[in-house]
Amino acid sequence: MNIANFTIAKRTSVWVLIALTLIGGYISYLKLGRFEDPEFVIRQAVIVTPYPGATAQEVSDEVTDVVEGALQSLQEVKEITSVSKQGMSEVTVEIKREFSNNEAELQQVWDKVRRKIGDAERSLPPGSGQPIVNDDFADVFAQFYAVTGRGHSDKQLQDYVDTLRRELALVPGVSKTATLAEKNEVIFVEIASDRLAQFGVSAEQVYRVLERQNMVSTAGSINTDTMRVAITPVSSISSFEQLKNLQIAIGDNNTVMRLSDIANVTRGFEEPSSVLMRYNGKRAIGLGISNVAGGNVVEMGDAVKARITELESQRPHGIELHEISIQSDSVRDSVSEFINNLIAAVVIVFVVLLLFMGVRTGLVIGFVLVLTVAGTLIVMLIDDIAMQRISLGALIIALGMLVDNAIVVTDGVLTRLQKNPSADRKQVVSEIVNETKWPLLGGTIVGICAFSAIGLSPSNMGEYAGSLFWVILYSMMLSWVLAVTVTPMLCHDYLKVNANKVSKPGKISAAYQRVLEAVLNNQKKSLVVVVGLFAVGVVTFSHVPPGFMPESQREQFAIDIRLPQGTDIERTHEIVGQIEKDVWEKSNITGTTSFIGSGGLRFMLTYSPEPPNSSYAQMLVDVDDYKVIESLVAELHVELNERYTDASINVWKFMLGPGGGKKIEVAFKGPDSEVLRQLAEQAKDIMEQSPALVAIQDDWRQQVPVIRPVYSAEKVQSFGLTTVELNQAIQQTLSGRNVGVYREGNDLIPIVVRSPESERHHDRVIENTKVYSATIGQFVQVEQLIESSSVEWQDAMLRRIDRVPTIMAQADPATGILTSEALEMIRADIESMPLPVGYELEWFGEYKDAKEADEGLKISAPYGFTAMVLAVVFMFNGIRQALVIWCTVPLAVCGVAIGLVTFQTPFEFMATLGFLSLIGMMVKNAIVLVDQADKEIASGTQPYEAIISAAMSRARPVILGAATTILGVAPLLVDPFFKSMAVTIMFGLLFATALTLLVIPLNYALFFRIKQPAQPQTN
């Protein structure tokens, strides 16, 4: 079937389809999800198991090892990491991507994990708690607020946050809400040991009454004549005052007394706090709102803001709601900026076509371009590809390539009509489409295959940037379909040729022909020049530093504060307050948000919150212009570390793309924790000597002091006691003991019995603690039962990777220094460290992330390149044509190197993708030229003349295609994420165009042994 003739004959139906495509594209644009970054599945879960009273080593040996062993038997597991702390085991399991391509598959894996952990629970030691599997890591709280309340109590502030949280959870598009730094209310019952002794009451008596008095229980039911009626006695405690007046029988005579007569009953909050939060120096509570999976963040954010406005009248005076991170606004701005870049790229491409091909020709190709973009948006909606950084960038990258097919067809029709204006239009269009459709399809497939490396990559980066491949696949295939259907119809109906105008070669064409002939007439010399250019490119490329992901332009940076391990959270809170004052002394600061005791809620997908740690704090600093962040980071890092010498402070900028954590990490693995600490210290000493590194630490942190009393077993037994009772008595004195709950509405408030402050803060608090002995009927001081007491320094945490103890020495590059450069300064010295037998060294951090991303490309790239090579071979049914094309590809390194050096841009991951796509563009253009040369020779043209004729006839499409691509990608130069890719494509293609027009003919002549024909001799 003749596609062109069929389209022309059915033009009415085609125009209807065009109208539907344009309308569908607009509707799809409105309905497409909008995100700042592409969604990707977080394949991690944490198994938390409490083991109260155990040391980090005991937790590691008795709990963590059991949990890790159960997980290791699952074939879906990719990596197991664990942190064993005093009294707590945290095991993180990561699942392989092939078993969890979507959320449904991942949930099935988590079900298997829970069953395995349930089976392993029987092997845990007595005294350990039930393991809890937490797989809720994927929620991104796109709307993150801080709630402050000057003049309001913590209880009033929390009541307002809880009310607001319930209301916002009902907003359409909201998945869940979460809070941060809410204080847990507690009722404290403070009983002095002297008072208990005075009344002859044991603490256990009070515990039993408090535990059972407010417990919900059934009193049965009674059968009447017609029905059974339940018996539910009225609770004796319905208010806090009634709790204080709770009746307790004491003494041998069961004398009834009120609880408040023997104890001080107060309401308060859990001590110590687990997490604290400040906003601009004021106590705050964080409120996060996440959107449903695949939803439109912008619409959800607008709906949440509208609901908050409606509830404004219910907000108590003095309580304020502050924005920390509003992703709906940043996504709106980001998408708007990308749309502007897309429109700019379309306009640039359109103007180029108008200038070089005329108004009518430019309008034809420009209209086909708009139609292609509309069709791509429809397919994106069908395939659930949202509008985000990667997909919109892919559209901009594809713009220049999308017009290539239409340019070839339109230029072919225009050239043929200019040569013979009286020719039958329908026949000319039909012939051009039939001549070019398969070469264009082959070139399109090659161009698509060039991007397949990222689309098929099994790495995390492959998932993050995978939509780049699919958007380009859909758009380029649509461009080919439209080039052989709609384009010929538009050319047939709208192209006009002046029959009286004689087409003459221009000066540029004549100059190009002279250069081309010179190259073909001096093939050996030209080959030497080409090899020389390649050598220059390789040498220049060696001066391009490697990179991974660029820095974000977010108007916010972070400060990590790490005090000595074990620091009380109140001390950390105090230091943070001082640092906030130092930060506010700087100019351009608009806000500060501090999290004490942990990181914040995950307010964007690429942010990884720090796990709970009382000695850790993080501050988010808002500025009025992202351009000032570079200098602020450098200044604050030096000043804060000089001022707070007992803290490790790191000031850093947010990065784009997945990753996070420390940039430089060297891991030491082996069986003995002491040896591992020694190796880490040696590595940190090497890091300290390098001025290029800052924030040097290890991930085991410092050891912490532990008081180790030794009980006298004989004395303990003689009083009829056990070590458990002694430990409980000391715990009650120091931190209290949870003995029940008080019901107030829908709240269950824990009741904690503890000693009064005078006993808790005594210098000899342990020795003075009293424990009731039923054997002698009186209290005994713990001091009588202790043989000795000492202070030991123990590991606060022990980390393992895949069940092997692992410690990491960590650092970050100083401001203005690339991670790769900083790493190279210390890598040789660290790798030359002597390691004991059984110990090994491995690099983590950005090096590992980049390595995994590159390995993912290495796995997938061969498939794409094989497909590209085979496509060329099958298309020409020959090997030499393929060699002509592929021998040109390596020469593009020269243009890429010059561009990256000129723009001072590292060869980042996205630049790697740009280079792969550049290869596809080069091959695509080369196919058109080589195919034309083959056709010229097949038609009987002398080979030397055929090469020149083919190059001359295809010069305009090749140059126009390159120009539209180069200028179309230009708007991405201002985007930090795509800058390295844009530079790679622009400079690489600029150089590659010259290669296509000169080196392709040269290679063709060399491989087919075509020489300049001998000139006829004259007498």
Side-chain angles (χ1 to χ4, degrees):
M1 182 181 69
N2 192 306
I3 300 176
N5 288 343
F6 179 81
T7 306
I8 294 170
K10 302 288 184 179
R11 57 168 53 86
T12 302
S13 300
V14 172
W15 276 111
V16 171
L17 291 175
I18 289 173
L20 291 175
T21 302
L22 293 173
I23 295 171
Y26 178 71
I27 295 173
S28 300
Y29 169 76
L30 297 177
K31 288 189 173 183
L32 278 169
R34 284 163 168 79
F35 301 102
E36 189 170 11
D37 290 287
E39 290 185 305
F40 58 89
V41 180
I42 298 177
R43 300 173 174 83
Q44 290 181 331
V46 176
I47 297 90
V48 178
T49 310
Y51 191 12
T55 65
Q57 189 64 56
E58 290 170 340
V59 170
S60 176
D61 296 338
E62 301 174 28
V63 176
T64 302
D65 192 63
V66 174
V67 174
E68 288 177 335
L71 294 172
Q72 201 171 40
S73 62
L74 294 170
Q75 64 172 344
E76 295 89 351
V77 170
K78 176 183 178 182
E79 185 179 70
I80 301 172
T81 58
S82 65
V83 183
S84 300
K85 306 176 183 178
Q86 294 175 349
M88 186 68 67
S89 167
E90 296 176 2
V91 180
T92 302
V93 57
E94 184 176 359
I95 305 303
K96 296 176 182 175
R97 184 177 169 186
E98 58 261 34
F99 294 102
S100 52
N101 291 312
N102 52 57
E103 192 65 31
E105 292 181 1
L106 188 60
Q107 289 304 320
Q108 292 180 353
V109 176
W110 296 145
D111 289 341
K112 293 180 67 174
V113 168
R114 287 186 172 86
R115 288 196 296 270
K116 282 289 183 182
I117 297 301
D119 294 340
E121 189 176 348
R122 294 189 294 268
S123 302
L124 294 177
S128 64
Q130 181 180 6
I132 300 173
V133 180
N134 179 13
D135 60 5
D136 196 10
F137 280 84
D139 288 311
V140 176
F141 296 94
Q143 311 294 102
F144 191 18
Y145 296 92
V147 184
T148 61
R150 179 174 296 177
H152 290 265
S153 66
D154 287 330
K155 174 64 176 171
Q156 291 171 325
L157 193 61
Q158 291 184 182
D159 287 344
Y160 170 73
V161 171
D162 290 339
T163 302
L164 184 62
R165 179 182 178 181
R166 287 193 294 269
E167 291 291 337
L168 296 181
L170 302 176
V171 173
V174 171
S175 173
K176 66 186 293 186
T177 59
T179 58
L180 181 72
E182 270 196 309
K183 292 183 177 181
N184 298 321
E185 191 175 10
V186 175
I187 292 177
F188 292 110
V189 179
E190 297 182 345
I191 309 176
S193 55
D194 292 342
R195 211 165 191 184
L196 287 174
Q198 176 187 347
F199 291 108
V201 182
S202 72
E204 288 296 331
Q205 286 181 274
V206 180
Y207 297 160
R208 285 194 294 269
V209 173
L210 289 174
E211 182 179 7
R212 297 176 182 177
Q213 192 67 32
N214 204 28
M215 184 181 295
V216 175
S217 60
T218 179
S221 60
I222 187 171
N223 188 20
T224 63
D225 293 337
T226 58
M227 61 192 305
R228 181 168 289 276
V229 180
I231 302 173
T232 308
V234 177
S235 173
S236 60
I237 301 175
S238 58
S239 68
F240 179 64
E241 287 300 320
Q242 288 183 346
L243 176 64
K244 293 171 67 175
N245 295 324
L246 178 66
Q247 305 294 310
I248 298 178
I250 61 174
D252 295 335
N253 298 325
N254 285 333
T255 303
V256 178
M257 299 186 68
R258 294 180 303 176
L259 178 62
S260 58
D261 291 335
I262 60 174
N264 182 29
V265 185
T266 59
R267 301 183 74 142
F269 294 95
E270 185 181 49
E271 297 177 3
S273 300
S274 55
V275 181
L276 296 172
M277 181 175 169
R278 295 162 61 95
Y279 182 83
N280 289 347
K282 294 180 287 187
R283 152 80 175 143
I285 296 176
L287 174 62
I289 302 105
S290 68
N291 65 295
V292 295
N296 190 317
V297 172
V298 176
E299 291 180 357
M300 185 275 289
D302 292 342
V304 166
K305 287 183 178 181
R307 184 56 180 155
I308 290 175
T309 302
E310 292 173 0
L311 298 171
E312 189 69 19
S313 59
Q314 300 180 22
R315 179 168 60 85
H317 179 71
I319 291 182
E320 298 178 352
L321 200 65
H322 310 274
E323 297 178 350
I324 299 174
S325 177
I326 306 300
Q327 201 175 103
S328 59
D329 291 345
S330 58
V331 168
R332 181 185 286 107
D333 294 340
S334 177
V335 171
S336 176
E337 184 179 349
F338 264 108
I339 294 299
N340 290 338
N341 288 341
L342 183 62
I343 294 171
V346 171
V347 171
I348 289 171
V349 170
F350 186 63
V351 170
V352 170
L353 295 172
L354 289 179
L355 291 176
F356 288 92
M357 300 194 72
V359 175
R360 286 181 176 268
T361 308
L363 287 173
V364 167
I365 300 174
F367 179 77
V368 173
L369 174 61
V370 173
L371 192 61
T372 305
V373 173
T376 304
L377 292 176
I378 294 173
V379 182
M380 285 173 61
L381 181 64
I382 294 172
D383 197 29
D384 198 23
I385 298 176
M387 294 176 67
Q388 27 80 1
R389 189 189 312 276
I390 302 297
S391 60
L392 289 173
L395 273 177
I396 295 175
I397 292 167
L399 278 180
M401 296 186 290
L402 297 183
V403 298
D404 285 355
N405 292 331
I407 285 175
V408 171
V409 173
T410 306
D411 183 71
V413 173
L414 191 63
T415 303
R416 191 75 59 88
L417 290 176
Q418 286 174 343
K419 290 181 179 179
N420 185 9
S422 60
D424 181 18
R425 278 177 168 271
K426 191 173 183 179
Q427 183 179 352
V428 168
V429 169
S430 176
E431 290 175 354
I432 292 298
V433 170
N434 287 333
E435 290 174 7
T436 58
K437 62 182 179 182
W438 300 123
L440 290 179
L441 178 61
T444 301
I445 292 174
V446 167
I448 292 170
C449 290
F451 288 90
S452 63
I454 187 61
L456 303 177
S457 173
S459 67
N460 290 335
M461 272 305 303
E463 183 176 15
Y464 178 82
S467 57
L468 182 81
F469 167 69
W470 297 107
V471 172
I472 286 177
L473 167 66
Y474 299 143
S475 60
M476 291 190 67
M477 286 306 300
L478 278 172
S479 76
W480 178 80
V481 171
L482 295 176
V484 298
T485 54
V486 175
T487 303
M489 182 191 73
L490 296 176
C491 290
H492 178 273
D493 293 346
Y494 297 104
L495 281 190
K496 300 294 182 183
V497 177
N498 189 347
N500 298 322
K501 184 178 179 180
V502 180
S503 178
K504 296 181 180 179
K507 294 181 180 179
I508 296 178
S509 298
Y512 167 57
Q513 183 170 345
R514 288 195 297 271
V515 173
L516 179 60
E517 290 174 350
V519 169
L520 295 177
N521 295 340
N522 299 275
Q523 296 179 12
K524 292 182 179 180
K525 293 179 181 179
S526 300
L527 185 60
V528 170
V529 172
V530 170
V531 173
L533 285 173
F534 177 68
V536 169
V538 172
V539 173
T540 306
F541 202 83
S542 64
H543 293 88
V544 178
F548 182 51
M549 281 289 143
E551 295 174 336
S552 171
Q553 292 183 344
R554 185 182 182 89
E555 293 178 342
Q556 190 179 63
F557 65 94
I559 303 175
D560 284 342
I561 305 154
R562 287 181 170 86
L563 293 171
Q565 189 64 29
T567 301
D568 184 72
I569 192 169
E570 292 300 331
R571 170 62 178 165
T572 309
H573 183 265
E574 179 185 346
I575 296 295
V576 168
Q578 297 173 16
I579 293 176
E580 284 177 341
K581 294 178 181 177
D582 296 332
V583 170
W584 275 103
E585 290 178 359
K586 299 292 182 181
S587 57
N588 303 105
I589 304 298
T590 60
T592 58
T593 306
S594 301
F595 313 112
I596 300 100
S598 77
L601 298 175
R602 187 191 290 271
F603 55 87
M604 58 183 180
L605 192 60
T606 54
Y607 170 79
S608 298
E610 189 79 10
N613 187 339
S614 63
S615 62
Y616 171 83
Q618 184 179 77
M619 187 186 302
L620 303 180
V621 183
D622 299 319
V623 296
D624 54 13
D625 187 354
Y626 77 91
K627 296 177 182 177
V628 304
I629 292 180
E630 191 77 24
S631 59
L632 283 173
V633 167
E635 293 173 13
L636 285 171
H637 185 86
V638 174
E639 294 174 8
L640 295 179
N641 278 286
E642 289 178 350
R643 195 167 300 167
Y644 303 94
T645 55
D646 61 337
S648 174
I649 299 175
N650 184 32
V651 188
W652 52 278
K653 298 173 66 176
F654 286 99
M655 305 294 292
L656 296 172
K662 287 288 188 179
K663 299 289 187 66
I664 297 176
E665 295 179 320
V666 56
F668 297 96
K669 299 181 178 181
D672 190 89
S673 60
E674 288 299 322
V675 175
L676 290 176
R677 279 195 178 275
Q678 293 171 10
L679 292 172
E681 288 299 323
Q682 294 178 40
K684 288 195 292 183
D685 289 340
I686 295 173
M687 291 176 175
E688 292 282 0
Q689 297 171 13
S690 173
L693 296 178
V694 297
I696 298 165
Q697 64 179 46
D698 66 71
D699 64 345
W700 283 20
R701 308 291 291 142
Q702 301 91 344
Q703 290 185 320
V704 295
V706 178
I707 299 175
R708 301 296 301 271
V710 180
Y711 298 132
S712 171
E714 181 181 351
K715 293 180 179 179
V716 170
Q717 289 298 312
S718 67
F719 286 106
L721 299 171
T722 64
T723 56
V724 173
E725 291 169 310
L726 296 181
N727 291 340
Q728 288 178 346
I730 295 173
Q731 180 189 20
Q732 176 198 324
T733 300
L734 294 174
S735 56
R737 180 176 170 185
N738 195 328
V739 296
V741 294
Y742 164 63
R743 287 177 169 77
E744 188 174 65
N746 59 354
D747 294 329
L748 298 179
I749 304 174
I751 301 174
V752 175
V753 175
R754 67 180 183 181
S755 298
E757 186 175 359
S758 58
E759 293 184 15
R760 295 199 308 272
H761 296 162
H762 196 278
D763 291 339
R764 294 175 54 81
V765 60
I766 297 177
E767 292 84 351
N768 291 344
T769 296
K770 294 179 180 180
V771 57
Y772 185 79
S773 170
T775 302
I776 64 174
Q778 61 184 24
F779 286 87
V780 179
Q781 277 195 329
V782 172
E783 183 180 25
Q784 302 177 39
L785 309 175
I786 295 178
E787 289 184 348
S788 63
S789 183
S790 61
V791 176
E792 291 184 5
W793 289 86
Q794 295 183 353
D795 291 313
M797 60 181 72
L798 297 172
R799 296 181 183 270
R800 308 204 303 189
I801 297 178
D802 290 332
R803 308 189 74 179
V804 179
T806 305
I807 188 171
M808 292 191 191
Q810 304 168 317
D812 283 304
T815 305
I817 297 178
L818 293 173
T819 303
S820 57
E821 295 174 347
L823 177 60
E824 286 305 312
M825 294 180 186
I826 60 167
R827 184 172 180 179
D829 291 336
I830 290 180
E831 290 182 347
S832 63
M833 287 172 48
L835 299 179
V837 177
Y839 292 80
E840 59 183 67
L841 178 153
E842 184 179 348
W843 290 100
F844 280 73
E846 187 174 296
Y847 172 85
K848 184 180 179 182
D849 292 338
K851 184 179 178 182
E852 289 181 348
D854 291 339
E855 286 177 351
L857 291 181
K858 290 177 183 177
I859 292 172
S860 56
Y863 297 104
F865 274 100
T866 301
M868 291 165 69
V869 172
L870 292 177
V872 176
V873 172
F874 293 153
M875 189 182 310
F876 292 103
N877 191 31
I879 301 297
R880 285 188 292 180
Q881 287 92 338
L883 290 174
V884 167
I885 294 170
W886 284 100
C887 284
T888 312
V889 168
L891 302 175
V893 71
C894 187
V896 173
I898 292 172
L900 293 175
V901 170
T902 302
F903 277 81
Q904 293 294 296
T905 304
F907 193 70
E908 298 167 341
F909 180 78
M910 296 306 292
T912 305
L913 297 185
F915 191 79
L916 294 176
S917 64
L918 175 63
I919 293 172
M921 297 174 192
M922 291 177 62
V923 173
K924 189 172 183 289
N925 288 335
I927 286 173
V928 176
L929 198 153
V930 173
D931 177 69
Q932 185 63 30
D934 281 354
K935 288 178 178 177
E936 294 274 356
I937 294 173
S939 66
T941 307
Q942 199 275 336
Y944 181 84
E945 297 297 332
I947 295 176
I948 295 176
S949 175
M952 294 296 296
S953 65
R954 293 305 180 200
R956 183 163 66 171
V958 169
I959 292 173
L960 277 177
T964 54
T965 301
I966 291 170
L967 296 175
V969 172
L972 290 180
L973 287 173
V974 299
D975 187 280
F977 189 79
F978 286 102
K979 181 180 178 181
S980 62
M981 173 184 271
V983 170
T984 300
I985 292 176
M986 290 177 68
F987 280 81
L989 192 57
L990 184 65
F991 194 81
T993 302
L995 295 178
T996 303
L997 296 176
L998 294 175
V999 180
I1000 289 291
L1002 173 62
N1003 284 349
Y1004 196 98
L1006 288 171
F1007 279 100
F1008 285 90
R1009 303 184 182 218
I1010 298 173
K1011 303 290 184 181
Q1012 179 185 12
Q1015 297 294 330
Q1017 295 183 356
T1018 57
N1019 294 325

